[in-house]
Amino acid sequence: MSYMVRPKKSLGQHFLTDLHIAEAIADTLDAYRGMPVLEVGPGMGVLTRYLLDKGHDLTVVELDSESVEYLQEHFPALEGRILEKDFLKLDLAQLYDGEFCVIGNYPYNISSQIFFKILDYKDRIPCCSGMIQKEVAERMAAPPGGKTYGILSVLMQAWYDIEYLFTVPEHVFNPPPKVKSAVIRMTRNQVRQLGCNEQLFKQIVKTAFNQRRKTMRNSLRSLVGKDCEVLADPIFDERPERLSVERFIALTNLLENYITS
């Protein structure tokens, strides 16, 4: 059953063909050897081989049945460790008792959803790394003040330190994507509680950036009512891209007693 897996557009598959880049991605978890690792979307195992060579306690999750068959044939070390499932529907708490890392060449069409799922398990995942679309990587790592700083930046940086490691060109994939790629590493920061209502924090961040051209006063008016006295505070003169994570936390605490039900 030796064959090459056919990349499927419906699954957003672009198989990495450059072994040096695959090894460099595997290197991002060198500080976590001995900790279980979950690889998302291994495809034909170009990254998998280096993770196994490094001695990681590896499990892989792959939705594509053709890729699963290929992995079963070519990676006997993964026997019993190949999950033919959708990562977004996986209960990671049932998979691991303690901490674990996540890595992958992530499908670009669902990468943001993958990282939001990581947040659901943030106290169990000290490190998450891998390759995503360059534009998304730039948004995740962006500091306040620029056009790339947005919802993903704030929500991820509240809990993780984001490193943009290197850019990957289109020609090292089969088929080549229409965009450049980038490798990132997210390392859990020291924050265990934000010091505010976390659900409200997310709501405020999303509401503000959904109307990012408006001032905070205009975008958040819907949450507190247009005549609410709190809107006189100078912070509402700002546009959302100017606010750091810490200022969004302060804003959440400021607004909590004024939110209309």
Side-chain angles (χ1 to χ4, degrees), residues 208-254:
F209 280 107
N210 282 337
Q211 302 179 72
R212 64 180 301 144
R213 293 185 179 181
K214 295 184 178 181
T215 64
M216 302 293 288
R217 181 174 293 108
N218 288 325
S219 61
L220 298 180
R221 204 183 291 271
S222 61
L223 297 181
V224 297
K226 63 179 182 178
D227 298 320
C228 183
E229 60 184 315
V230 74
L231 295 175
D233 191 288
I235 196 171
F236 293 99
D237 295 331
E238 302 274 15
R239 285 185 167 79
E241 66 267 19
R242 305 295 303 177
L243 270 61
S244 65
V245 171
E246 292 74 22
R247 293 187 74 194
F248 267 109
I249 291 171
L251 179 63
T252 302
N253 286 324
L254 181 63

Side-chain angles (χ1 to χ4, degrees), residues 6-230:
R6 176 178 53 87
K8 299 168 188 63
K9 187 175 181 180
S10 63
L11 296 177
Q13 290 177 326
H14 297 275
F15 294 139
L16 180 65
T17 58
D18 189 309
L19 299 184
H20 295 293
I21 293 174
E23 185 173 15
I25 296 171
D27 289 346
T28 62
L29 293 185
D30 277 357
Y32 297 90
R33 292 188 187 185
M35 185 175 291
V37 173
L38 179 64
E39 183 187 357
V40 179
M44 290 190 293
V46 65
L47 172 60
T48 309
R49 69 156 74 176
Y50 291 106
L51 293 170
L52 289 172
D53 286 348
K54 288 173 175 290
H56 286 294
D57 178 10
L58 183 65
T59 299
V60 303
V61 53
E62 174 58 69
L63 184 59
D64 177 29
S65 59
E66 191 177 11
S67 293
V68 168
E69 290 182 18
Y70 184 94
L71 293 166
Q72 288 171 336
E73 178 184 359
H74 290 85
F75 294 91
L78 288 178
E79 183 176 357
R81 291 172 170 262
I82 302 174
L83 307 176
E84 189 173 349
K85 296 180 182 294
D86 181 346
F87 173 77
L88 295 178
K89 297 178 181 178
L90 204 58
D91 184 351
L92 301 181
Q94 295 294 319
L95 197 57
Y96 297 107
D97 294 329
E99 291 186 325
F100 60 99
C101 297
V102 178
I103 194 170
N105 297 328
Y106 302 109
Y108 294 172
N109 56 338
I110 59 167
S111 60
S112 293
Q113 296 175 62
I114 288 172
F115 294 124
F116 285 137
K117 184 179 179 75
I118 296 295
L119 284 184
D120 291 338
Y121 297 90
K122 57 186 178 292
D123 292 330
R124 303 275 294 278
I125 302 176
C127 185
C128 171
S129 63
M131 187 156 53
I132 56 176
Q133 184 176 335
K134 181 175 183 284
E135 180 183 287
V136 177
E138 290 173 338
R139 289 207 304 267
M140 289 179 66
K147 292 182 179 179
T148 53
Y149 184 74
I151 295 173
L152 196 60
S153 318
V154 177
L155 297 185
M156 299 308 300
Q157 291 175 29
W159 303 103
Y160 284 91
D161 296 327
I162 316 290
E163 298 171 87
Y164 183 111
L165 298 176
F166 57 90
T167 303
V168 181
E170 301 93 325
H171 68 267
V172 298
F173 295 90
N174 175 38
K178 296 180 180 179
V179 296
K180 283 185 169 54
S181 306
V183 174
I184 62 162
R185 177 167 51 205
M186 301 161 36
T187 305
R188 187 72 168 86
N189 61 27
Q190 298 301 310
V191 174
R192 290 298 172 261
Q193 292 185 334
L194 287 185
C196 69
N197 181 318
E198 293 179 13
Q199 287 301 118
L200 181 58
F201 172 79
K202 287 193 287 187
Q203 182 184 7
I204 288 171
V205 171
K206 291 179 179 180
T207 302
F209 280 107
N210 282 337
Q211 302 179 72
R212 64 180 301 144
R213 293 185 179 181
K214 295 184 178 181
T215 64
M216 302 293 288
R217 181 174 293 108
N218 288 325
S219 61
L220 298 180
R221 204 183 291 271
S222 61
L223 297 181
V224 297
K226 63 179 182 178
D227 298 320
C228 183
E229 60 184 315
V230 74

